[in-house]
Amino acid sequence: MNIYVDSKMRDAERREELYRGSIFFHSPCQSTVKLCHLAQSLIEEAFRPLDPLRVHQSFPAEKSAELLAALKPRFIHHPEAKQHIQAMLSELGCDLEKTYFDVPRMRTAFPGDYLKSGIAYAFHPHRDTWYSAPFCQVNWWLPVYEITYDNCMAIHSQYWSRALRNGSAEYNYHKWNLESRHNAAQHVKTDTRIQPRPEEPVELEPQLRLIGDVGSVYLFSAAHLHSTVPNTSSVIRYSIDFRTVHLDDVLRQVGAPNVDSACTGTTIGDYLRTTDLSHLPQEAMALYLDGTEAKFVPGASTPVSALLGSETLR
Ligand SMILES: [Fe+2]
């Protein structure tokens, strides 16, 4: 596995490297800083007059969950967020005509046991490919405020080519959409929704912790095992992530190797073309359909309407 810092590599080669498990770090640029500033302004507005990094010292967990349930969709659907991502993909060398992204998510990691399920889910070690992501998906991750080693995220790269027994065979993205996703804010203390988890002890060490300035961005394959570092700091960690796929790789069905993912369904309907926010062509999406999309969306006649989602947990 290689780690590239501010690489000027062309996107096609970068994706090949990502599919081999490499990680790319890019220093803050104009668009990434703007995206983080937008997130900061929405966060500060939601929790005013409190210090947004220390809300847990003043509010009960239920109150924070309630405010996050309003804040997170505001960010996800904010038109400026999409504009900044479009600019970011351009600044970082992507072909905008062929690069498709899904809407950005805002994540929170609260200190200790304050709030770590539902709307502020603390991610156990997982691969996004256990959650029906295609193997050509690239994950982009940015800290919104300054982060430290004790409130960031971690990649467990020793599992890149090593299978981990897991529950992904039970997971279907369309079923999840239908049954579970709309009530994340209700899961304040525990989360009873079925998710793919490791089913054997995970060797958490060594692990790679991703720490960068506000507006820096990490790229890694959806097939990397990654997790939320338990927040042992005194402040809340806010981060942004989103995912991309490239049309050529979708059509060629290339990407990272599958070592242990057994889920069904696909997130292929979630990605929007950078230039005009259109979905992937039907013939491209059709390559990833396995029939379950019709099973879990009664009466759906077109794949696009059957596949679309608005919130996710992976
Ligand atoms: Fe993930």
Side-chain angles (χ1 to χ4, degrees):
M1 187 186 86
N2 302 312
I3 300 176
Y4 292 87
V5 177
D6 290 330
S7 168
K8 297 282 187 281
M9 189 183 287
R10 288 175 52 245
D11 184 56
E13 290 152 20
R14 181 170 62 192
R15 297 198 313 278
E16 275 183 31
E17 271 298 288
L18 286 161
Y19 303 155
R20 281 199 285 265
S22 292
I23 293 168
F24 285 76
F25 169 84
H26 290 282
S27 297
C29 59
Q30 209 177 17
S31 52
T32 57
V33 169
K34 279 184 182 170
L35 182 66
C36 290
H37 285 171
L38 171 67
Q40 288 174 2
S41 68
L42 295 175
I43 292 165
E44 284 153 26
E45 191 182 310
F47 291 119
R48 192 171 290 141
L50 299 183
D51 173 354
L53 299 182
R54 293 178 176 78
V55 173
H56 55 291
Q57 295 172 359
S58 303
F59 280 163
E62 289 77 7
K63 176 73 174 168
S64 292
E66 187 188 316
L67 293 175
L68 289 174
L71 165 65
K72 291 191 172 185
R74 275 199 73 204
F75 177 74
I76 288 172
H77 301 295
H78 200 290
E80 277 180 40
K82 288 194 184 74
Q83 289 163 14
H84 297 324
I85 286 176
Q86 288 164 325
M88 180 192 318
L89 294 173
S90 175
E91 276 192 86
L92 294 177
C94 297
D95 177 346
L96 303 190
E97 284 290 330
K98 290 188 168 181
T99 302
Y100 291 68
F101 67 97
D102 72 350
V103 290
R105 324 286 164 166
M106 180 190 288
R107 317 283 188 180
T108 39
F110 283 80
D113 288 333
Y114 175 81
L115 181 62
K116 57 182 186 182
S117 60
I119 196 76
Y121 194 79
F123 291 91
H124 56 269
H126 69 281
R127 309 182 199 271
D128 283 16
T129 51
W130 291 353
Y131 291 74
S132 312
F135 287 87
C136 62
Q137 180 183 289
V138 175
N139 290 13
W140 301 62
W141 194 92
L142 306 85
V144 174
Y145 293 96
E146 192 180 324
I147 53 169
T148 50
Y149 70 92
D150 51 2
N151 66 4
C152 57
M153 67 157 288
I155 289 189
H156 309 281
S157 58
Q158 65 270 41
Y159 287 99
W160 175 256
S161 53
R162 181 172 150 197
L164 181 61
R165 202 162 65 241
N166 67 82
S168 62
E170 303 300 311
Y171 185 86
N172 178 282
Y173 182 59
H174 315 301
K175 187 167 186 278
W176 168 268
N177 279 344
L178 193 66
E179 295 174 353
S180 308
R181 74 184 338 178
H182 296 302
N183 54 2
Q186 295 168 12
H187 300 265
V188 175
K189 288 293 181 189
T190 56
D191 204 317
T192 53
R193 296 175 293 178
I194 294 172
Q195 294 186 58
R197 291 174 178 278
E199 293 183 341
E200 63 177 294
V202 181
E203 284 175 26
L204 292 173
E205 303 289 345
Q207 58 179 243
L208 182 67
R209 296 192 175 191
L210 306 180
I211 304 161
D213 290 335
V214 173
S216 59
V217 56
Y218 279 94
L219 282 67
F220 59 95
S221 164
H224 255 307
L225 193 75
H226 56 286
S227 65
T228 304
V229 168
N231 188 343
T232 53
S233 76
S234 59
V235 297
I236 303 165
R237 184 263 278 166
Y238 297 89
S239 60
I240 298 167
D241 57 80
F242 65 96
R243 307 90 196 274
T244 56
V245 295
H246 190 284
L247 178 62
D248 291 353
D249 295 349
V250 170
L251 290 170
R252 289 158 54 215
Q253 295 181 271
V254 298
N258 179 8
V259 292
D260 59 15
S261 299
C263 50
T264 53
T266 177
T267 61
I268 203 74
D270 287 357
Y271 309 98
L272 307 173
R273 183 158 60 183
T274 313
T275 48
D276 61 2
L277 305 182
S278 63
H279 291 280
L280 281 153
Q282 291 280 356
E283 66 270 23
M285 287 199 283
L287 298 169
Y288 294 79
L289 302 180
D290 58 11
T292 60
E293 69 284 351
K295 185 174 161 193
F296 294 113
V297 184
S301 56
T302 62
V304 171
S305 63
L307 291 169
L308 295 184
S310 59
E311 173 59 83
T312 190
L313 199 55
R314 64 183 184 273

